[in-house]
Each structure stands twice: as C-alpha cells, then as structure tokens.
Amino acid sequence: MSKELESLLKEERVFKPSSRILENSNVKRMMDVHNIENYEKLLEKAGNNPEWFWDNVANELKWFNPYNKVLKWDPPYAEWFLNGKFNIVHNALDRHAKGKNKDNIAYIWEGEDEETKKITFYELWREVNKFANALKELGIKKGDTVSIYLPMIPELPVAMLACAKIGAVHSVVFSGFWAKAFQERINDSESKIAITTDGFTRRGKMIPLKENVDTILDKTPSIKNLIVVNHAGLDIEMQEGRDLWWHEITANMEETCDTEEMDSEDPLFILYTSGTTGKPKGVVHVHGGYAVGIYATLKFVFDLKEDDIWWCAADIGWITGHSYIVYAPLLLGITSIIYEGTPDYPDPGRLWRMVENYKVTVFYTAPTTVRMFMKFGEKWPGKSDLSSLRLLGSVGEPINPEAWIWYYKYIGNENCPIMDTWWQTETGMHLITPLPISDLKPGSTVKPFPTIQADIYDEDGNSLKNKGGHLVIKSPWPSMFRTLYKDPQRYIDAYWSKFKDVYLSGDVGRIDEDGYFWIQGREDDVLNVAGHRISTAEVESALVSYKGVAEAAVVGKPDPIKGEEIAAFVVLKEGNRPSEDLKNSLKYHVRVEIGPIATPTYLNFVDDLPKTRSGKIMRRVIKAKVKGEDVGDITTLANPEAVDGLDRAM
Ligand code: WT7
C-alpha cells in the first residue's frame, strides 16, 4: 500500500504581483534597506539568520528593558527575547495614546442593527485603564486568569487588553459556544472572574448570554465575580454579591493605570482549541514573542500602512481575532473594523456595503464565507463599490481554486492579490503564506514566511517533493505556543513526538516543483481508497469546481475490499436542482479531474452541511452518519438541523 498521499489535482494558473503593489510594499521597503534583491534572496538570508530578522522586527517595538538574547532553542522549548521586559499593551495602546496617533481611529464598530461607534486610540486606552483598575479592585493580580464570554462588542477587546495591561491572563471563550463549554474552560483555567453580557442578537434573534451563564456558575468554584456588560438592555437578574455591572464598576475609576512590566516569556493568554479527541487543549501564548510575530506578519503579509482600513472578518473568540483584530492592528497603530453580526444578515449585501461605507482597503475572511457568497451569486458584491480594496486574505481551510478565482474576480476586481495564510491556534501567526511580492497560484499558500523552515515528511521523516505527507515545522518562531495549559505532557505527545525536534502540525500537504505549499487538510480528513491516500479537500475542490455546485463535503465509508469508499455530500447553488443526471455528471467530473480512484461511490444532495460555528465542516459528524454510528457530541455545531438533512439524503 502506498504511504504517500496521492496528490492528483493540478492547478497551473500563476498570478504575478502588480508593480503598484510590489513597489509600495512594506516588505520591498525592508528589502531595500538591507540590499536584498528579491523574494528568494530574502527567504535565503532570513532562513540562514533568523535571529537577524527577528531582532530587526523586535527593535520596532518598545521594551521597558531590552532583551539580551534573541532566542534560546532547547527543543521542544523555545524562549524568545530573553530577559526583556515588555508588555504587549504598552505597545498596542500606551505608545499610541500619548503619541501622534492619539486621535486616530482604532476601531470602527458596527452592530448587527447597524448602530456604529468609532473609538480612537486615546479613548480605547482610557477605557482599558478604567476596566483594568476595576479588575485590580476586585483583587485580580499578575498571573490570575480571567474568563471572557462576550460577543463582538467593543468591551471584548477592552477586557482582553485590560487583563494584559495588569499582567492577568485572559481566556476568551467564543460566544457562540454553549455555556457548558464556558464552564469547562473556567474550571480548567481556574479563573477568578468571568465576564459576559446580558445578551446579543444573532440574525435578529436574542441570545440571553447572562441567563445561560447563570446555569453553569454553581459548577465553577473558582469564580468570585461575574461582570456583566449591559449591551442588549435585557431585564436580567443580578445575584447579590456575585454579579456586577460593567458600567457601575468602571464609572468612578481613574483614567490612568500603570502597565505591568512583564517578562517577555510571561503568559498573555490561554485559548482553547479542539483536538482530534478528548478535552480541549489550552494553548498558551506569551507577551514578547507573540507580539513580535503577529506584528511582523500583519505588516509584511497584509502590508498595512497607517492610512489603511483593515477588516479581519473573523470572531475575536478565535486565534484569528486575537492576533489580527485585537493585538496586531493595534501594535501597528491602524484602524480596524469590528462587526457584530453575520455576513449575510439582513441580506447577502451586508459585508459589501460595509466595505464601501468604510472604504476598507484590506479584507481577510475564510473560504467558507467566500463559497457562501459564490452561492448567492456575484450580483450581491456587484451592488457595492469595492474599489477601495487593495489586498485580500484567506484563512482557516484550504481555499479551492474556483473559490479563489471567484474571490479574485468579484471581490478584488482582478486587482487585489490574495494572501492565503496557513497557520494555527498553536502557531499564533501566519507561517506559510504569500507576501505581496510573491507570484500566486490559486489554492496554494505559497511559501514559508521568512525564517520559517517548513517541510513535508513521510512516515519516517524523509522530506517529500511533490508527494503528499505530514506538514512539519523544523525551526522555532517567536509567536509559537509555549505549552498546553496544565498539560505539558500532551504538548510533547501531540506535537513533538512523531519526529524528533520537529513540530507536527497535524495537517497534510504537498510541496510542488517550485517549492509552493498545497495544504490538503487535517491528517484525520485523509481517505484511504484501495491503498491510495486521498485528501477529502481535493475531492471537495473538484466537486466545487463543477458548475452549479456551492459546497461539498467528502468522507470515507468503510469498505471491506477498498478500505474506504468515497461518500460525497453536495450543496447546490441557488437555481440548480438535484437530479440523477447531475449526480452522474458530478461523479464523472471528479473522475476526469482527479482520476478513477477518487470517484465518489455515493453522492448525495443536501441543503446544508454540518458546520462548527467557525464555519468548518464537521466531517466527523458526516462520517458517523455514513457509518450508521451515533454522531456523539454535537454541541459545537452551528446548524444541528443539517444532521437530519444528512439522514434524509442517504
Ligand atoms: C487549522 C488550524 C489559523 C487561524 C484559523 C484556524 C487549517 C488554516 C489554512 C489555510 C489550508 C488552513 C489547517 C490548520 N488552516 N489556515 N490557509 N489553508 N488550511 O485556526 O482552529 O487552530 O485551525 O486550520 O488545517 O491546521 P485553528
């Protein structure tokens, strides 16, 4: 049986950067300063001397006390900027609030109901100080953990920044999760304070968050107080002695607050991420290296300049929002959008109207969102003037070439390069990504960011060229996670045990003849058909490239002879109807695109695929259905009704 993942889908198109983008880019400017001729030379120089690269970046930030060593690498443990005294908030807020950026807008916030707020750096700094003082008064000290369960409202970044400012560790839990998830994470992190809101609306429907939190707080012994933001104006019950209104405890607070001088390696936050099995992993990031890594990537990948309007359309409850809505844009002193609602509410024109209204210049979203808009059709973006856009981004899953081209054409007007950034909660920052100076191939995340040594390994740790295998990282990077909270053994077992001193990402991918990376998905999404390992993402991509198909999910159905057979679930674009003919055409299409072994044996049309609230298809659920097994825990599903749809389709 072949051990290599078959990589059969070939994408031949190449998009060159325009000279307009290239010449004005931050990365080109940096290369000029150091007399670096081109992209290849940059990767070579940074690869040979990562400490030179990161020292240069770190010098653009403010240190209370300079570090005396850039890196200590004792695999699997890295320390960065040793003995430096630093606080990420000192850089994200203090220096802007007192400097020339004082009155620049830090955040433009838009609520689901179209209410808007503009918050300057100075105002944000003042709100953070007041809330930080309130936390101190409640007894929060350096090293304490605070659990935050808030929707996309300005108080969410304020709460995070306030914690960081006084040296407390925040643990944000995505507000779309069930309260049970909040309970588990509070207990794992032993938080003293929890923060939530009375409620918020999702597609016009009220979610009573505080009421939900009330059902779990008798099972969280570490919690002393619950702070409640009055956002929805709901008439809620406040428990005497435990519950406090945000606006009351901040009302009389001082507008200044000292920033705690932290060690570079002191923890900044815990963010829980789901592993393949069992309990969530508490990924720990630190002040110094994390700040340097996310600052560099936002500056060089998304090329942000002072007058840019940046919109990272993710939720702050995920790493994408932590890194690229809260911390990195503030470090760079630029304006970001925070949007409370869903992308297609009240209609599929919402995002595009916002791009026009706020003259967004750089826009970052997930492939699932792009495919959703493909399904609605290009008439929706066509209604708005998107000419302010200069650069686009993608993150979270492989973007299939058809979606890439659609995004390029209808959102970017064939004018904006797409930065398809590969990274993880654990990596904190982009690791494999284009830069504005790279040639792009739709569906490829291009090359490792300067200094990063990425590779594809076979089972024995040999490097593979043009064959699928394990995506590994062979060098440390500043914003790498330092451990899993209270589970140091799992840090070693899950990431550092398969190959010696090498980080196992858990993804599979391929490097092509030009050194370009093609990420194919998680290892557990790999099918094994008649001895060939085939990635679900490739079959899905082939299905989605067929006219009329909006989305597809592919899983393996155990087969005694072939190992697995391919079962596909297909969502059609509006105006297309399921039929036996279409089913056969689709199977034939995959056969032609990828090859006979990748042809789905089963193909079913469904209205919707089961997805997590972050938009990832939950193949585990589909797989269980296909195998006739119990679907297990589906509390993290955004659309549980899609599970019944699978039943009806089969
Ligand atoms: C997993 C990490 C990184 C922030 C959002 C998700 C997949 C991420 C890409 C990309 C292909 C991607 C990987 C990775 N992924 N970006 N550009 N192309 N796959 O963070 O929840 O920690 O998930 O998302 O499978 O391992 P996360």
Side-chain angles (χ1 to χ4, degrees):
M1 187 180 90
S2 137
K3 284 235 157 121
E4 280 84 44
L5 183 87
E6 307 286 329
S7 201
L8 307 162
L9 199 64
K10 291 276 186 296
E11 172 60 51
E12 309 281 354
R13 289 167 283 197
V14 176
F15 292 77
K16 302 243 173 230
S18 72
S19 61
R20 173 185 64 109
I21 294 278
L22 196 153
E23 289 306 323
N24 297 319
S25 66
N26 289 335
V27 61
K28 173 78 166 48
R29 199 167 311 162
M30 181 267 281
M31 285 158 59
D32 288 347
V33 169
H34 296 283
N35 288 318
I36 301 170
E37 287 152 54
N38 55 37
Y39 185 35
E40 292 310 318
K41 287 271 190 315
L42 169 66
L43 294 182
E44 191 186 309
K45 182 168 163 88
N48 290 334
N49 198 348
E51 297 186 27
W52 160 79
F53 182 88
W54 290 113
D55 189 33
N56 262 301
V57 177
N59 271 318
E60 293 181 23
L61 298 176
K62 281 213 171 350
W63 299 78
F64 296 119
N65 233 333
Y67 48 88
N68 52 22
K69 190 171 165 52
V70 174
L71 169 66
K72 184 170 154 226
W73 178 222
D74 184 7
Y77 306 106
E79 289 173 62
W80 285 86
F81 310 111
L82 284 84
N83 303 309
K85 289 281 170 279
F86 184 88
N87 189 309
I88 195 167
V89 179
H90 187 55
N91 283 277
L93 285 182
D94 298 350
R95 64 175 181 151
H96 303 307
K98 288 173 189 150
K100 63 175 182 10
N101 290 349
K102 187 171 180 280
D103 298 320
N104 289 357
I105 307 293
Y107 288 127
I108 300 172
W109 177 80
E110 185 165 309
E112 190 182 79
D113 60 1
E114 295 186 19
E115 180 193 349
T116 67
K117 257 184 219 158
K118 290 187 177 165
I119 307 164
T120 65
F121 277 90
Y122 178 77
E123 288 163 341
L124 185 62
W125 173 79
R126 195 184 57 198
E127 292 314 305
V128 166
N129 289 342
K130 284 163 71 175
F131 191 65
N133 286 327
L135 286 175
K136 282 210 267 193
E137 228 174 77
L138 292 170
I140 294 297
K141 296 183 307 293
K142 178 174 172 177
D144 287 343
T145 308
V146 173
S147 283
I148 306 175
Y149 190 43
L150 287 172
M152 292 282 281
I153 56 176
E155 286 82 357
L156 174 51
V158 169
M160 294 163 72
L161 293 156
C163 288
K165 182 154 206 185
I166 61 174
V169 176
H170 57 71
S171 163
V172 176
V173 178
F174 175 51
S175 62
F177 275 146
W178 289 28
K180 190 100 180 59
F182 193 42
Q183 174 193 324
E184 267 174 26
R185 288 158 176 76
I186 287 173
N187 288 337
D188 190 71
S189 60
E190 295 170 273
S191 294
K192 295 186 174 156
I193 300 260
I195 306 171
T196 193
T197 178
D198 52 347
F200 65 102
T201 55
R202 206 76 193 144
R203 298 182 171 281
K205 183 172 164 270
M206 182 60 66
I207 317 281
L209 214 54
K210 157 73 162 89
E211 205 182 297
N212 297 348
V213 171
D214 280 338
T215 65
I216 57 113
L217 280 188
D218 56 338
K219 300 172 212 79
T220 55
S222 60
I223 294 291
K224 296 204 172 64
N225 293 107
L226 173 70
I227 301 172
V228 186
V229 177
N230 180 4
H231 174 60
L234 295 182
D235 185 17
I236 54 168
E237 231 172 90
M238 298 289 277
Q239 186 177 310
E240 188 72 41
R242 186 194 71 188
D243 300 349
L244 304 163
W245 285 110
W246 174 296
H247 58 274
E248 287 180 4
I249 59 170
T250 51
N252 298 316
M253 283 295 148
E254 287 279 335
E255 295 191 354
T256 59
C257 170
D258 286 342
T259 301
E260 192 74 33
E261 298 192 9
M262 307 295 283
D263 187 89
S264 310
E265 286 291 316
D266 278 336
L268 169 64
F269 64 82
I270 306 169
L271 184 58
Y272 289 89
T273 182
S274 30
T276 43
T277 52
K279 82 184 217 320
K281 303 186 271 195
V283 168
V284 178
H285 283 287
V286 300
H287 273 259
Y290 175 74
V292 174
I294 61 172
Y295 172 88
T297 43
L298 193 60
K299 176 170 173 175
F300 293 130
V301 176
F302 284 109
D303 197 34
L304 294 179
K305 322 266 169 44
E306 251 176 35
D307 52 355
D308 269 312
I309 307 288
W310 161 245
W311 189 2
C312 167
D315 195 286
I316 292 174
W318 310 120
I319 191 67
T320 308
H322 276 57
S323 295
Y324 298 114
I325 300 176
V326 178
Y327 288 111
L330 297 178
L331 289 171
L332 285 168
I334 53 134
T335 305
S336 312
I337 309 279
I338 298 182
Y339 170 49
E340 183 192 19
T342 32
D344 58 337
Y345 185 85
D347 63 59
R350 181 64 182 265
L351 289 192
W352 318 125
R353 286 195 294 277
M354 286 179 64
V355 169
E356 173 175 343
N357 288 345
Y358 299 120
K359 302 208 167 16
V360 173
T361 55
V362 186
F363 179 73
Y364 191 25
T365 192
T368 179
T369 310
V370 174
R371 289 194 297 266
M372 178 179 87
F373 282 108
M374 281 174 81
K375 186 172 134 190
F376 293 129
E378 47 270 16
K379 70 166 193 269
W380 288 100
K383 290 174 201 270
S384 294
D385 174 7
L386 306 182
S387 61
S388 56
L389 290 171
R390 175 166 66 81
L391 221 75
L392 298 172
S394 174
V395 62
E397 51 177 320
I399 183 162
N400 48 298
E402 296 319 304
W404 196 101
I405 296 288
W406 190 91
Y407 195 26
Y408 185 74
K409 250 178 142 161
Y410 297 110
I411 308 304
N413 193 26
E414 303 188 22
N415 237 333
C416 307
I418 299 173
M419 303 295 117
D420 180 2
T421 59
W422 179 88
W423 58 297
Q424 306 174 300
T425 305
E426 294 87 340
T427 72
M429 64 182 234
H430 311 140
L431 284 194
I432 305 177
T433 175
L435 295 175
I437 54 171
S438 3
D439 292 356
L440 303 173
K441 302 187 190 184
S444 166
T445 59
V446 183
K447 295 191 180 198
F449 188 78
T451 76
I452 306 299
Q453 308 293 329
D455 206 346
I456 301 292
Y457 275 3
D458 70 7
E459 290 301 316
D460 305 318
N462 303 308
S463 299
L464 295 172
K465 256 274 137 71
N466 236 331
K467 277 192 181 139
H470 302 281
L471 172 62
V472 296
I473 311 293
K474 304 195 282 192
S475 58
W477 62 99
S479 65
M480 66 197 274
F481 68 140
R482 298 304 196 260
T483 189
L484 293 178
Y485 191 67
K486 289 202 302 204
D487 208 350
Q489 191 57 43
R490 195 172 176 195
Y491 172 78
I492 297 170
D493 295 345
Y495 303 102
W496 302 96
S497 296
K498 192 172 176 81
F499 306 113
K500 190 172 159 24
D501 300 347
V502 163
Y503 173 77
L504 180 73
S505 71
D507 279 4
V508 284
R510 163 177 77 90
I511 304 176
D512 73 13
E513 53 286 352
D514 300 322
Y516 275 51
F517 283 70
W518 299 81
I519 311 297
Q520 298 161 327
R522 301 290 301 166
E523 284 178 358
D524 18 2
D525 292 340
V526 173
L527 306 163
N528 190 328
V529 183
H532 298 276
R533 291 170 64 190
I534 299 164
S535 104
T536 53
E538 280 194 330
V539 181
E540 289 165 4
S541 181
L543 287 165
V544 176
S545 70
Y546 194 79
K547 197 170 117 286
V549 173
E551 265 194 316
V554 161
V555 296
K557 180 172 172 156
D559 177 85
I561 297 170
K562 291 185 176 174
E564 276 183 322
E565 293 208 290
I566 298 177
F569 292 82
V570 172
V571 182
L572 296 175
K573 286 187 195 157
E574 253 158 25
N576 293 276
R577 296 166 64 94
S579 69
E580 267 320 293
D581 273 352
L582 181 55
K583 210 182 242 191
N584 292 330
S585 311
L586 269 169
K587 288 185 183 178
Y588 182 70
H589 176 70
V590 177
R591 190 185 174 89
V592 173
E593 286 283 305
I594 310 186
I597 53 157
T599 312
T601 312
Y602 309 95
L603 196 143
N604 305 290
F605 296 106
V606 286
D607 291 332
D608 210 355
L609 297 165
K611 284 188 187 158
T612 64
R613 292 188 172 84
S614 62
K616 287 204 168 87
I617 295 171
M618 263 177 112
R619 290 189 189 74
R620 176 181 69 73
V621 170
I622 305 176
K623 195 157 183 164
K625 278 286 169 203
V626 163
K627 289 162 90 176
E629 292 171 359
D630 186 68
V631 294
D633 179 19
I634 52 165
T635 52
T636 56
L637 267 188
N639 54 348
E641 65 283 1
V643 178
D644 298 329
L646 296 174
D647 276 331
R648 283 194 301 275
M650 286 189 296

